[in-house]
Amino acid sequence: MKGILIGIGNPNFRDDGVGFWVVKALEKEVKAVHFLSPTLNMLNHMFGYEKAVIVDGVKLGRRPGEIVEFFIEPSGNSENYFGGLTHSLSLKEVIATGYLTFKEDMPQYIKFIGVEVEDTQMFKPSLSEPVKKTLPHIVEKVRKFLTT
């Protein structure tokens, strides 16, 4: 199997739902799943795929809508970014558990695409304008990564 998209976030809290909206945009084209927050159950969905891409909102002090992307490696190369996620369970811990416990089942390539959020507090099921404008670019990055 080629690849899977994992979107993270709650679509009812503005930009926190960016992962959800990317899944909605691509669910008819690629294998895609959505989680409200990082969970060990994500690993079950990743097993057997060559590639995985994870999309989530981040708070890194950048311009809202700015995209941050990198590959996640078993060595834990991404400490600086995982501290800025908008959820309580560490995505880094979930991925590290997968590599430590199920290394042969994990994707060879895991790409993280984070989007700087503007608002994750307001109860409103829509993205802020800066994140909404970035959505087509994120969708294209995911499509390209998973289909090549």
Side-chain angles (χ1 to χ4, degrees):
M1 291 186 225
K2 192 91 170 165
I4 185 169
L5 161 62
I6 298 174
I8 301 174
N10 189 331
N12 292 312
F13 288 97
R14 301 283 324 238
D15 298 338
D16 188 54
V18 67
F20 170 83
W21 295 111
V22 174
V23 165
K24 281 295 181 196
L26 289 168
E27 66 187 353
K28 291 187 168 110
E29 297 177 47
V30 300
K31 173 66 176 169
V33 294
H34 169 252
F35 292 92
L36 291 174
S37 61
T39 170
L40 292 174
N41 189 37
M42 288 171 45
L43 299 175
N44 292 323
H45 292 275
M46 295 170 78
F47 293 160
Y49 286 97
E50 178 185 342
K51 299 177 180 180
V53 61
I54 299 170
V55 178
D56 196 5
V58 296
K59 290 183 182 179
L60 299 172
R62 296 172 181 234
R63 178 183 45 79
E66 187 174 338
I67 299 171
V68 175
E69 56 186 308
F70 55 87
F71 284 96
I72 300 170
E73 298 174 11
S75 62
N77 64 326
S78 318
E79 304 82 24
N80 295 335
Y81 292 103
F82 285 128
L85 296 179
T86 60
H87 307 286
S88 58
L89 181 63
S90 166
L91 181 58
K92 180 180 179 182
E93 291 173 325
V94 171
I95 300 300
T97 299
Y99 278 127
L100 288 171
T101 312
F102 309 104
K103 186 174 183 173
E104 65 282 348
D105 297 319
M106 291 290 287
Q108 185 176 0
Y109 305 101
I110 301 176
K111 186 172 194 172
F112 179 82
I113 299 177
V115 183
E116 183 72 28
V117 297
E118 181 176 75
D119 178 15
T120 60
Q121 302 300 311
M122 184 184 295
F123 186 75
K124 186 175 181 182
S126 63
L127 297 171
S128 67
E129 281 306 309
V131 174
K132 189 182 210 177
K133 287 179 184 174
T134 305
L135 193 63
H137 302 290
I138 303 163
V139 168
E140 189 52 39
K141 285 176 179 290
V142 171
R143 182 183 289 123
K144 184 176 179 181
F145 176 69
L146 291 179
T147 59
T148 57

